[in-house]
Short mmCIF file of all heavy atoms in Angstrom, two decimals:
data_model
loop_
_atom_site.label_atom_id
_atom_site.label_comp_id
_atom_site.label_asym_id
_atom_site.label_seq_id
_atom_site.Cartn_x
_atom_site.Cartn_y
_atom_site.Cartn_z
N ASN A 176 -2.15 -7.06 1.91
CA ASN A 176 -1.93 -5.94 1.00
C ASN A 176 -1.66 -6.51 -0.39
O ASN A 176 -0.60 -7.03 -0.65
CB ASN A 176 -0.73 -5.12 1.51
CG ASN A 176 -0.24 -4.11 0.50
OD1 ASN A 176 0.96 -3.97 0.26
ND2 ASN A 176 -1.14 -3.39 -0.11
N SER A 177 -2.67 -6.40 -1.25
CA SER A 177 -2.60 -7.02 -2.56
C SER A 177 -3.30 -6.11 -3.57
O SER A 177 -4.46 -5.77 -3.34
CB SER A 177 -3.29 -8.39 -2.46
OG SER A 177 -3.44 -8.99 -3.71
N PRO A 178 -2.60 -5.68 -4.63
CA PRO A 178 -1.20 -5.90 -4.96
C PRO A 178 -0.28 -5.34 -3.88
O PRO A 178 -0.62 -4.37 -3.22
CB PRO A 178 -1.01 -5.13 -6.26
CG PRO A 178 -2.37 -4.88 -6.81
CD PRO A 178 -3.28 -4.85 -5.66
N ASN A 179 0.87 -5.98 -3.78
CA ASN A 179 1.73 -5.77 -2.62
C ASN A 179 2.81 -4.72 -2.86
O ASN A 179 3.44 -4.67 -3.91
CB ASN A 179 2.38 -7.12 -2.27
CG ASN A 179 3.34 -7.04 -1.11
OD1 ASN A 179 4.55 -6.98 -1.29
ND2 ASN A 179 2.81 -7.01 0.09
N ASN A 180 2.96 -3.88 -1.87
CA ASN A 180 4.15 -3.04 -1.74
C ASN A 180 5.03 -3.75 -0.72
O ASN A 180 4.59 -3.88 0.42
CB ASN A 180 3.76 -1.65 -1.24
CG ASN A 180 4.97 -0.77 -0.93
OD1 ASN A 180 6.09 -1.14 -1.23
ND2 ASN A 180 4.71 0.38 -0.34
N PRO A 181 6.17 -4.30 -1.06
CA PRO A 181 7.08 -3.97 -2.15
C PRO A 181 7.16 -4.95 -3.33
O PRO A 181 7.95 -4.69 -4.24
CB PRO A 181 8.42 -4.00 -1.43
CG PRO A 181 8.28 -5.16 -0.49
CD PRO A 181 6.84 -5.10 -0.03
N SER A 182 6.41 -6.07 -3.34
CA SER A 182 6.75 -7.10 -4.35
C SER A 182 5.92 -7.00 -5.63
O SER A 182 6.29 -7.61 -6.63
CB SER A 182 6.58 -8.50 -3.74
OG SER A 182 5.20 -8.77 -3.58
N GLY A 183 4.79 -6.29 -5.59
CA GLY A 183 3.91 -6.24 -6.77
C GLY A 183 3.07 -7.50 -6.92
O GLY A 183 2.28 -7.62 -7.85
N ALA A 184 3.25 -8.48 -6.00
CA ALA A 184 2.50 -9.74 -6.10
C ALA A 184 1.05 -9.55 -5.69
O ALA A 184 0.73 -8.68 -4.86
CB ALA A 184 3.16 -10.81 -5.22
N ILE A 185 0.18 -10.35 -6.28
CA ILE A 185 -1.24 -10.35 -5.91
C ILE A 185 -1.54 -11.66 -5.22
O ILE A 185 -1.11 -12.72 -5.70
CB ILE A 185 -2.10 -10.18 -7.19
CG1 ILE A 185 -1.90 -8.77 -7.76
CG2 ILE A 185 -3.57 -10.46 -6.91
CD1 ILE A 185 -2.70 -8.45 -9.00
N LEU A 186 -2.24 -11.61 -4.10
CA LEU A 186 -2.60 -12.85 -3.42
C LEU A 186 -3.65 -13.56 -4.27
O LEU A 186 -4.67 -12.96 -4.64
CB LEU A 186 -3.16 -12.56 -2.02
CG LEU A 186 -2.17 -12.01 -1.00
CD1 LEU A 186 -2.88 -11.61 0.29
CD2 LEU A 186 -1.07 -13.04 -0.70
N SER A 187 -3.39 -14.82 -4.58
CA SER A 187 -4.32 -15.54 -5.46
C SER A 187 -5.61 -15.86 -4.69
O SER A 187 -5.63 -15.88 -3.46
CB SER A 187 -3.67 -16.83 -5.95
OG SER A 187 -3.61 -17.75 -4.87
N ALA A 188 -6.68 -16.12 -5.46
CA ALA A 188 -7.96 -16.49 -4.84
C ALA A 188 -7.77 -17.76 -4.00
O ALA A 188 -8.34 -17.88 -2.91
CB ALA A 188 -9.02 -16.67 -5.90
N ASP A 189 -6.94 -18.68 -4.47
CA ASP A 189 -6.69 -19.93 -3.72
C ASP A 189 -6.02 -19.62 -2.38
O ASP A 189 -6.39 -20.18 -1.35
CB ASP A 189 -5.76 -20.87 -4.51
CG ASP A 189 -6.51 -21.59 -5.60
OD1 ASP A 189 -7.76 -21.49 -5.60
OD2 ASP A 189 -5.85 -22.23 -6.44
N THR A 190 -5.02 -18.73 -2.42
CA THR A 190 -4.35 -18.36 -1.17
C THR A 190 -5.35 -17.74 -0.21
O THR A 190 -5.39 -18.07 0.98
CB THR A 190 -3.21 -17.35 -1.45
OG1 THR A 190 -2.26 -17.96 -2.30
CG2 THR A 190 -2.54 -16.89 -0.18
#
Side-chain angles (χ1 to χ4, degrees):
N176 168 226
S177 172
N179 178 260
N180 174 8
S182 72
I185 292 181
L186 292 173
S187 72
D189 281 351
T190 298

